[in-house]
Amino acid sequence: MSPRTTPLEAAHREAGAVSTDFGGWQMPLKYGNDVAEHHAVRRAAGVFDLSHMGEIAVEGPHAAAFLDAAVVARMSAVAPGRAKYSLLVDEAGRVLDDLITYRLAEDRFLVVPNAANTATVLRALEERADGHDVAVEDRTEATALVAVQGPAAHDTLLAAGCADPDAVRELGYYACTTTEVAGAPALVARTGYTGEDGFELYVAPEHARTVWDALLAAGEDRGVVPAGLAARDSLRLEAGMPLYGHELGPDITPFEAGLGRLVEAALRSKGDFVGRAALEEQAAAPPARVLVGLRGLTRRPVRAGNTVLAGDETVGEVTSGVPSPTLGHPVAMALVRPAALEAGVPLEADVRGRRAPVEVVGLPFYRRS
């Protein structure tokens, strides 16, 4: 089956994008040089097409209570106009996806799953809605998502034409507001996946090209460029942000992925929810693996799937890795046995049969000033 295309497919073709199948969608990998796009986001801003992400509306009198029971977060404590990061797990505590959920009003939420997991999340929420006065609706096809990320994102968004610029200026991190951008009604959120300041604009598909063109035109003199999935991946990795299928998944517990505090907060702050008993068992035992940052000590790139060695012993596996454009050396995240970190034995990554020395460093690798 051919991958789905976003409302911006024509814009990507016109810009000369190299595309790839990602999560069942044909998405721009890069428009020219992915490293240049990465640097543009760090120094100015990049405009991303994220229309492959899912959008699921949860509405009704029981919406907040339903989400409290359905996901690993106390969504009833989120104020309207705010957002929260959470996990969706099954009864066995296996991670089905990580989510950002916006509370649009007292009884209205927007759940945003990863592209490849939208059907899984939708099915789980629909099944869990039984007995709740709530409606769960997939609005992915009715929604386009454009993001502008980087130090110049704020000024670029305002220059593109906001009907309520003061609301955008005052918008906090993990918050959202409704306004018009370039004449198009938009839900504007301030979250991001690059380690930089930035905004996500949820608009109707027929308005996506107008918003896309307006952002690029407004940012042209600032060095703002379109950016693809390759830059997005290197940016999020430098920022130490997990990617489902790499740092998160059914075979990686939240405690192994470094999200234990999120789970513990849910266990303390609310009653029963799907997966609670299994997560309590996970919390009671030390994790078998821990997620760590690795700095490559040579220029040899360390990639996902490479094994981590302590002497002749395999002690872990790399989940993501790139040569960092910002830092100038390879960086990676890996799941490693805790005992190996305490033994003091130098670690190496097996890169196609050749050993590359690495050192454990704190996450994130990059933090904006």
Side-chain angles (χ1 to χ4, degrees):
M1 187 172 70
S2 299
R4 299 159 73 181
T5 58
T6 80
L8 291 167
E9 173 63 19
H12 302 323
R13 287 200 308 269
E14 292 167 17
V18 176
S19 295
T20 187
D21 185 340
F22 183 80
W25 292 77
Q26 182 168 302
M27 298 298 297
L29 183 65
K30 59 183 180 179
Y31 297 86
N33 185 302
D34 56 301
V35 173
E37 293 167 21
H38 177 111
H39 286 310
V41 175
R42 290 277 182 252
R43 298 167 183 168
V47 180
F48 297 84
D49 178 10
L50 304 181
S51 301
H52 62 310
M53 300 290 284
E55 289 87 20
I56 300 172
V58 177
E59 301 180 354
H62 290 176
F66 159 67
L67 287 171
D68 278 354
V71 305
V72 185
R74 189 182 170 204
M75 300 308 305
S76 59
V78 178
R82 303 293 299 181
K84 192 171 185 65
Y85 178 78
S86 64
L87 299 174
L88 182 77
V89 303
D90 63 13
E91 288 286 5
R94 294 183 291 252
V95 178
L96 302 179
D97 202 11
D98 59 335
L99 314 166
I100 293 180
T101 300
Y102 300 95
R103 190 169 196 172
L104 307 181
E106 286 294 330
D107 59 354
R108 294 174 53 231
F109 292 81
L110 180 68
V111 179
V112 181
N114 287 293
N117 292 336
T118 299
T120 297
V121 173
L122 178 65
R123 182 168 57 252
L125 292 179
E126 288 175 335
E127 291 171 353
R128 297 173 192 189
D130 187 36
H132 294 272
D133 188 1
V134 67
V136 176
E137 181 184 356
D138 184 5
R139 295 189 180 166
T140 305
E141 290 288 346
T143 309
L145 177 54
V146 179
V148 55
Q149 293 276 309
H154 178 268
D155 291 344
T156 299
L157 177 56
L158 292 179
C162 289
D164 190 352
D166 288 341
V168 172
R169 291 188 186 99
E170 297 168 5
L171 194 65
Y173 189 51
Y174 264 66
C176 62
T177 188
T178 55
T179 185
E180 289 187 359
V181 177
L187 173 68
V188 179
R190 198 171 199 168
T191 55
Y193 193 56
T194 63
E196 300 294 344
D197 188 20
F199 300 84
E200 293 73 48
L201 284 66
Y202 295 83
V203 300
E206 61 268 25
H207 296 142
R209 182 66 187 265
T210 297
V211 171
W212 176 267
D213 289 344
L215 289 169
L216 289 173
E220 185 175 5
D221 293 340
R222 297 178 171 88
V224 177
V225 301
L229 290 176
R232 189 165 183 252
D233 189 54
S234 56
L235 290 158
R236 70 92 192 168
L237 181 49
E238 287 183 350
M241 295 181 174
L243 175 64
Y244 191 89
H246 291 253
E247 289 75 39
L248 289 169
D251 60 341
I252 303 170
T253 74
F255 295 90
E256 292 174 333
L259 297 175
R261 289 184 180 180
L262 183 155
V263 174
E264 289 164 352
L267 294 175
R268 287 194 306 269
S269 66
K270 64 177 185 171
D272 196 23
F273 59 92
V274 175
R276 180 183 180 107
L279 293 175
E280 286 177 331
E281 290 184 8
Q282 292 178 16
R289 305 171 295 177
V290 292
L291 187 69
V292 299
L294 299 178
R295 171 180 175 155
L297 300 180
T298 68
R299 299 192 66 83
R300 190 176 303 149
V302 178
R303 302 289 190 182
N306 293 160
T307 56
V308 180
L309 304 168
D312 292 329
E313 183 181 7
T314 296
V315 296
E317 182 175 325
V318 175
T319 56
S320 297
V322 295
S324 167
T326 304
L327 304 176
H329 57 72
V331 298
M333 289 193 282
L335 286 166
V336 178
R337 295 207 303 266
L341 304 177
E342 300 164 0
V345 178
L347 300 182
E348 298 173 299
D350 184 340
V351 182
R352 297 182 180 178
R354 299 177 64 187
R355 295 193 172 207
V358 295
E359 65 175 349
V360 176
V361 296
L363 293 170
F365 302 104
Y366 165 85
R367 193 188 304 273
R368 73 177 185 269
S369 59

